[in-house]
Amino acid sequence: MSDHQLRVSKIRSGTVIDHVPGGQALRVLAILGIDGTGGETVSVAMNVPSDDMGAKDIVKVEDRELSQAEVDVISLIAPEATINIVRDFDVVEKNRVVRPEQVTGVLQCPNANCITTADEPVRSEFTVLSEGVRCVYCDTLLRDDIAAHID
Amino acid sequence: MRHDHLITATQLSRDDIETVLDRAAEIADDPPERDAVLGLLFFEPSTRTKMSFDAAMKRLGGTTVDMGSVDSSSVKKGETLADTVRVVEGYADALVLRHPSEGAAKMASRFVDVPLVNAGDGAGQHPSQTLLDLYTIRENAGLDDLTVGIMGDLKYGRTVHSLASALTNFDARQHFISPESLQLPRSVRFDLHQEGAQVREHTDLEAILPELDVLYVTRIQRERFPDENEYRQVAGQYRITPETLEDAKDDLVLMHPLPRVDEISPEVDDLPQATYFEQAHNGVPVRMALLDMLLENAGVETGGDSR
């Protein structure tokens, strides 16, 4: 085990999100709706030197396994991330995030005049582009501020 | 043209566009009989678009049903658009929708099985206007090796957004002339770049005017500016008068989706370049062709014997 991984101790069960681009860990927590008030045990390592990525962040959330929708949104800001599911100190599943072609119902359109923000029976829908996402309904592009538009 | 609905100009290929324009050119002489009912759903005021769709359907031998103004409809009672269109599709063979929210037509089209035409969704798109604009350009200047200037409110102008993206199908150089605060939105710019379009932006018409084959003028609206003074100052810079046109080509095609307020002075109307009334009249044959093709795709037969 390398020094880098020892910076944050192992967890018993939960999810380890590794290979998050340096500096993005807090956004990942925002996507997961974690601001500390929920009482979750969370460890964050930021800007850890990484051979592949230069600097990476690692997020460990105890006693929680992520939903596919959450993983989809994480993939938008951390396309290289790996999601490790830990049970009893063992990694039982290790997955790379896959950027979906579309995300439905997880982001709110930043365009206040978009039909999806009105009182209509539709869920938001975004096409995933190489850089950012685009509202399927009103074509608005969302690039830098994806985490702030999570529904 | 094999589309179920017409929602955005970005869905149109060159072939789609040319098919509609070719049909429009011949349709007035020999209109097919389409004994169909067209539902008009205008959640915003409209004169030209609504009346020309109305006229187009009637000239095809069909008829129209009209929701009327929002004030007199069940929208006032809080009905969703999704419900309204699902109800009205039962009364009509095709729908035309204008709505103040971007994406409204896209959403509505997902709730109905009859063809739906976007007649303007907020600051989004207005693709049937684009078809008549292209028809007018083709009749007057052709659609090849073209230098087009588009001027005015490029940020909120839905006719501009649709025209700009449709022009990427043709050999057209596009120049966008506007105050900085009203430049093209990021999403339209993105599409133009994706298509590899030649796009230049200017704050001033003067330098580029002599090169233009087509100048498409749009209205700069008062409500886009914080105060009256600023509006007047900006609007004044983008006003076309006979003097402005002295530097333009003699065969410049001067267009405007109308209504105009004072972007083009009335003295320009008598000049040979003024094409905006002809443009407005083209709304009928182009919309006849469009409706005819959408109804045909939807299986509404000609001759009035199939419904």
Side-chain angles (χ1 to χ4, degrees), chain A residues 111 113 115 120 125 134 137, chain B residues 81-82 102 110 186 191:
Chain A
N111 172 12
N113 201 40
I115 194 72
E120 295 289 338
E125 217 175 298
R134 187 173 208 189
Y137 290 92
Chain B
L81 174 62
E102 286 96 66
R110 291 185 164 187
R186 203 162 63 157
D191 284 332

Side-chain angles (χ1 to χ4, degrees), chain B residues 55 62 82 92 164 185 236-237 248 257 293:
Chain B
Q237 285 173 36
M293 294 165 84

Side-chain angles (χ1 to χ4, degrees), chain B residues 1-304:
Chain B
M1 194 185 77
R2 298 295 313 177
H3 294 287
D4 295 334
H5 309 285
L6 178 59
I7 306 300
T8 160
T10 55
Q11 79 186 75
L12 296 172
S13 66
R14 181 176 182 139
D15 197 42
D16 289 334
I17 293 165
E18 287 179 336
T19 309
V20 178
L21 304 195
D22 289 347
R23 188 73 153 267
E26 59 186 28
I27 203 158
D29 299 331
D30 185 18
E33 250 324 82
R34 291 261 175 221
D35 181 17
V37 178
L38 180 66
L40 301 172
L41 297 154
F42 281 75
F43 290 79
E44 274 185 344
S46 164
T47 307
R48 275 146 297 277
T49 304
K50 186 164 153 179
M51 287 185 75
S52 69
F53 268 113
D54 195 10
M57 191 69 249
K58 287 170 177 165
R59 286 195 184 275
L60 285 171
T63 182
T64 58
V65 286
D66 184 349
M67 179 184 86
S69 74
V70 168
D71 288 340
S72 64
S73 74
S74 55
V75 178
K76 210 51 181 178
K77 301 174 190 161
E79 187 177 55
T80 62
L81 174 62
D83 279 2
T84 306
V85 293
R86 276 180 288 184
V87 169
V88 179
E89 81 164 324
Y91 309 155
D93 300 300
L95 301 175
V96 176
L97 174 70
R98 170 168 293 181
H99 196 277
S101 295
E102 286 96 66
K106 173 80 181 176
M107 187 205 75
S109 72
R110 291 185 164 187
F111 284 91
V112 298
D113 291 324
V114 299
L116 184 140
V117 178
N118 181 7
D121 60 331
Q125 288 269 326
H126 193 355
S128 71
Q129 174 74 39
T130 293
L131 290 170
L132 75 91
D133 293 341
L134 293 173
Y135 185 84
T136 308
I137 294 172
R138 191 170 82 166
E139 296 278 290
N140 288 279
L143 280 167
D144 288 304
D145 189 21
L146 198 64
T147 304
V148 181
I150 303 181
M151 184 169 88
D153 182 350
L154 312 182
K155 186 174 184 184
Y156 299 98
R158 55 194 171 202
T159 62
V160 171
H161 305 160
S162 291
L163 180 60
S165 76
L167 280 171
T168 63
N169 288 299
F170 299 91
D171 178 17
R173 293 164 293 278
Q174 301 195 51
H175 295 270
F176 294 95
I177 306 120
S178 73
E180 262 172 43
S181 62
L182 294 177
Q183 286 178 342
L184 286 177
R186 203 162 63 157
S187 62
V188 175
R189 213 180 283 257
F190 177 84
D191 284 332
L192 296 179
H193 284 298
Q194 289 288 101
E195 296 300 324
Q198 309 173 50
V199 171
R200 299 274 182 283
E201 295 184 284
H202 314 263
T203 50
D204 196 28
L205 175 65
E206 208 180 346
I208 192 65
L209 179 63
E211 288 180 37
L212 300 179
D213 301 310
V214 175
L215 176 59
Y216 193 94
V217 182
T218 64
R219 185 158 52 105
I220 293 176
Q221 293 179 322
R222 195 167 308 231
E223 56 266 33
R224 305 297 179 209
F225 290 88
D227 68 76
E228 180 79 21
N229 264 348
E230 199 180 328
Y231 160 73
R232 283 185 179 283
Q233 209 172 17
V234 169
Q237 285 173 36
Y238 297 94
R239 192 172 139 84
I240 303 292
T241 63
E243 293 72 54
T244 324
L245 292 179
E246 281 170 12
D247 294 331
K249 288 185 183 173
D250 291 339
D251 58 356
L252 173 77
V253 181
L254 181 64
M255 298 172 66
H256 191 302
L258 304 179
R260 69 170 152 179
V261 180
D262 52 11
E263 314 76 79
I264 300 178
S265 74
E267 297 78 53
V268 174
D269 297 356
D270 297 327
L271 298 178
Q273 292 103 330
T275 316
Y276 27 93
F277 291 111
E278 175 188 332
Q279 179 188 359
H281 297 163
N282 286 337
V284 176
V286 170
R287 288 178 169 125
M288 283 171 78
L290 174 66
L291 290 172
D292 185 44
M293 294 165 84
L294 287 170
L295 289 164
E296 185 172 88
N297 289 349
V300 178
E301 304 276 324
T302 49

